Amino acid sequence: MIELENVGYNYGGGELLSDVSVKLAPGSFHFLTGPSGAGKTTLLKLCYGALTPTSGRVRAFNMDVQGLDRDQMAHLRRRVGVVHQDCRFLDHLPVIENIALPLIVSGKDLSQEEANLRELLNWVGLSQRADALPPELSGGERQRAALARSVILSPDVIIADEPTGNVDWEMSQRLLQLLVELNRMGKTILVATHDMALIRAAKKQVQARVLRISAKQLIQAGADL
Amino acid sequence: MSEGRLRKLIMGDAQADRVVPPSGFTAQLTLFVSGAMAFLAVFALALSLASGRLATRWADELARAATLRINAPAEQRVAQTEAALTILRQTPGVASARAFTTEEQIELLAPWFGSALPIDSLPVPQLIEVIEGDPGYDGTGLRLRLQAELPGAVLDDHTRWRAPLVDAARALRRLGAVSILLIAGATAAMITLAANAALAANAQVIEVLRLVGALDSYIAHAFVRRFTLRALGGAAVGVVLGMFGVWLMPAASNEGGFLTGLGFQGWAWGLPLLIPPLGALVAFAATTRAAKKRLGDLT
Ligand SMILES: Nc1ncnc2c1ncn2[C@@H]1O[C@H](COP(=O)(O)OP(=O)(O)OP(=O)(O)O)[C@@H](O)[C@H]1O
Ligand SMILES: [Mg+2]
């Protein structure tokens, strides 16, 4: 699905990542971990094309991401669901429209998706909050709304950046549950987190691989963590 | 632009419209600017049309302007007329000269004396029509020569003084046209500024839209549609007010001359109605350009 080959990245202040190679196979579940500032968000952005690598190559769906023009990039974004670390909503639209935003911008007929949308809201437990504005939501509600938005176009790949960043254990378990269910439906999942307990909990339910960023390199963490 | 896109631009897509937050201030500025500019454009158009009409009318009068009157005793009239025609034909700048026939003279006098006039028995002067060429003749020189050879001939070229006025009227028409172009340019500039302000104010929104897979054309469209419709609406109001203002001007009259002629006549009342669509077109082009440029600058 997504493939990094000898990727290096540098914001201008020295190399942040170097010689990173990884392949996300269809249906796989990966965790990405590492200390804060190690470059997890950066690596995810490289995966969905928000950043272009300073060296090496990124391929997504067998296309060279660097070679895509802006319109092709927009189409790529529709095939990769992303939960951003800071959620990124349109604050003037209610939650339900924010979740439906990928449908709206890709010109889908909303009236036909109504049932899907309701079901999705129910699935993330936000039916009651559908008409609230994003700033009125709690941290956990925002994360769930972001997850709902990332899957609305039923993408093949879901990339989540700290989806359990500011929620309590119970809520993070619920979010993990949602991701596991998506993976069982055949989606490829990549989750950045530094919550080891979450990774351990996940490993009981799915075959998850753990990648760790350490000293600019990406290494496969051992089964024991 | 395909018909589908045009229809979509006008009908709009209620959902697409909502993704960009309503922006009260730039909206009102755009409305005001396009309204004011349309109002000015109506007057520039009225001025341009009126001075154009005036230039044509005056030029027309000039062209068939001069007459030569020959006051002579009946027995000398024919000879003097012949002599006058000879002089006129020799004068550079006279395109043609022709003596009016008796019938024509009766016709000319009919409004005053009735058509049953026994013109031969009256000391009515013979009239000669002088058509000026381009360049024109030297009026003073011609007068001096006539005075010397035919003391009874009077050259009446009272409308010649209007020649510089015709030039002025033509210049005024050009100024009106230039003003309309300037108004269009200023509108484009101001709408570009407003669109840039709106695009900058909504940088976050644009970023989120890009993140969820919106095409540049979709984002641009949301802004372009807004500005185009605002320009259309503002210009429509401005044109209505401007036309009302022109309509209030007194009708053209001979005494009033130029000033009272400032208005539209007949089909020309339809011309200002073109201003709103043209204003919308200007806004469409300006916003499309601004959005393309700004979105192209993003990564
Ligand atoms: N746009 C940017 N310009 C310059 N430096 C940046 C930029 N974004 C991130 N960085 C730097 O790159 C490094 C890696 O950032 P990144 O966000 O990838 O870390 P992270 O692993 O996601 O951290 P966290 O766990 O806190 O989210 C940090 O030192 C950060 O300051
Ligand atoms: Mg991060």
Side-chain angles (χ1 to χ4, degrees):
Chain A
M1 293 265 124
I2 294 183
E3 209 178 327
L4 275 63
E5 276 173 39
N6 311 106
V7 166
Y9 194 79
N10 158 4
Y11 280 109
E15 192 109 285
L16 181 64
L17 296 169
S18 81
D19 209 19
V20 169
S21 295
V22 67
K23 208 172 190 170
L24 304 183
S28 64
F29 197 126
H30 283 90
F31 280 106
L32 176 63
T33 181
S36 178
K40 298 184 293 295
T41 300
T42 306
L43 186 64
L44 297 187
K45 282 183 175 167
L46 288 165
C47 287
Y48 61 83
L51 294 174
T52 39
T54 36
S55 63
R57 284 203 320 161
V58 178
R59 295 176 65 76
F61 307 104
N62 293 321
M63 294 178 297
D64 211 328
V65 173
Q66 283 106 302
L68 301 181
D69 64 24
R70 287 174 62 79
D71 283 357
Q72 288 170 321
M73 188 61 82
H75 286 292
L76 173 65
R77 299 264 167 85
R78 295 180 192 174
R79 299 181 67 183
V80 180
V82 181
V83 180
H84 302 272
Q85 192 163 8
D86 48 0
C87 295
R88 318 302 295 268
F89 293 119
L90 294 183
D91 287 345
H92 66 284
L93 292 183
V95 171
I96 185 156
E97 282 182 62
N98 264 289
I99 292 176
L101 200 57
L103 290 173
I104 297 172
V105 302
S106 51
K108 297 254 162 48
D109 184 0
L110 274 196
S111 53
Q112 280 180 15
E113 307 278 345
E114 181 89 42
N116 270 343
L117 201 53
R118 293 281 157 200
E119 196 186 328
L120 185 59
L121 270 176
N122 218 17
W123 184 63
V124 294
L126 285 176
S127 298
Q128 305 302 311
R129 305 292 284 144
D131 298 320
L133 293 176
E136 299 165 2
L137 296 184
S138 76
E141 287 169 334
R142 285 172 69 82
Q143 301 274 17
R144 281 180 282 155
L147 182 60
R149 186 182 69 185
S150 73
V151 299
I152 187 88
L153 287 176
S154 55
D156 304 319
V157 183
I158 290 146
I159 293 179
D161 195 355
E162 309 270 7
T164 60
N166 46 15
V167 299
D168 64 17
W169 175 244
E170 210 166 312
M171 183 57 68
S172 68
Q173 285 296 99
R174 263 183 77 183
L175 280 161
L176 176 66
Q177 212 49 52
L178 296 176
L179 288 166
V180 168
E181 278 175 42
L182 287 166
N183 182 241
R184 289 197 177 130
M185 288 157 66
K187 312 282 184 198
T188 310
I189 313 274
L190 173 59
V191 182
T193 183
H194 47 234
D195 187 347
M196 291 305 153
L198 187 78
I199 298 178
R200 259 178 251 120
K203 285 203 148 190
K204 290 185 190 131
Q205 304 182 55
V206 285
Q207 250 223 326
R209 291 175 163 215
V210 181
L211 309 167
R212 177 192 295 277
I213 300 176
S214 170
K216 303 181 205 168
Q217 303 280 324
L218 191 66
I219 50 173
Q220 288 262 359
D224 55 312
L225 288 175
Chain B
M1 186 165 43
S2 77
E3 199 180 315
R5 260 188 76 197
L6 185 69
R7 186 166 337 117
K8 212 174 141 201
L9 181 77
I10 294 164
M11 311 283 287
D13 167 352
Q15 276 298 341
D17 244 15
R18 284 172 52 80
V19 301
V20 180
S23 48
F25 192 54
T26 46
Q28 276 155 26
L29 272 185
T30 317
L31 270 174
F32 174 73
V33 163
S34 48
M37 288 302 183
F39 188 83
L40 294 177
V42 171
F43 281 103
L45 192 62
L47 177 76
S48 191
L49 287 175
S51 43
R53 271 198 309 273
L54 213 58
T56 318
R57 204 177 72 220
W58 285 348
D60 224 38
E61 285 173 13
L62 263 181
R64 45 187 173 74
T67 39
L68 188 65
R69 240 183 8 254
I70 297 182
N71 299 305
E75 61 277 12
Q76 283 179 35
R77 204 149 77 188
V78 175
Q80 289 210 7
T81 303
E82 275 311 309
L85 284 172
T86 314
I87 292 173
L88 285 170
R89 284 188 191 117
Q90 290 166 352
T91 309
V94 172
S96 67
R98 186 179 67 85
F100 280 112
T101 60
T102 314
E103 291 75 45
E104 282 173 325
Q105 300 229 65
I106 291 176
E107 211 173 292
L108 279 174
L109 292 170
W112 287 277
F113 301 109
S115 51
L117 190 70
I119 202 166
D120 295 320
S121 61
L122 287 172
V124 173
Q126 170 69 46
L127 295 179
I128 294 176
E129 179 189 49
V130 182
I131 309 267
E132 189 170 358
D134 186 22
Y137 56 85
D138 166 19
T140 324
L142 181 59
R143 248 189 214 99
L144 285 173
R145 185 164 173 209
L146 287 169
Q147 216 165 32
E149 298 182 26
L150 296 166
V154 178
L155 181 66
D156 182 1
D157 61 350
H158 60 274
T159 48
R160 281 191 104 214
W161 62 270
R162 279 184 171 166
L165 284 189
V166 171
D167 288 342
R170 288 195 178 128
L172 211 52
R173 178 174 56 183
R174 271 198 303 278
L175 278 181
V178 170
S179 302
I180 291 172
L181 289 181
L182 284 177
I183 287 169
T187 309
M190 278 191 256
I191 288 181
T192 302
L193 289 177
N196 269 326
L199 287 162
N202 288 300
Q204 298 276 350
V205 171
I206 292 173
E207 209 180 315
V208 172
L209 290 175
R210 283 290 304 174
L211 285 176
V212 299
L215 297 174
D216 281 351
S217 57
Y218 180 91
I219 301 171
H221 185 84
F223 286 92
V224 168
R225 187 176 125 73
R226 269 191 192 190
F227 279 92
T228 305
L229 289 183
R230 276 179 208 151
L232 186 67
V237 173
V239 163
V240 168
L241 292 179
M243 284 171 79
F244 186 63
V246 169
W247 179 73
L248 284 184
M249 304 261 326
S253 70
N254 280 331
E255 305 82 58
F258 168 71
L259 269 180
T260 56
L262 191 64
F264 300 106
Q265 282 176 7
W267 60 270
W269 279 103
L271 278 184
L273 300 182
L274 292 177
I275 293 175
L278 287 178
L281 204 66
V282 166
F284 177 83
T287 323
T288 304
R289 232 187 104 222
K292 269 223 178 86
K293 184 162 183 328
R294 191 163 275 270
L295 289 170
D297 287 347
L298 296 176
T299 45

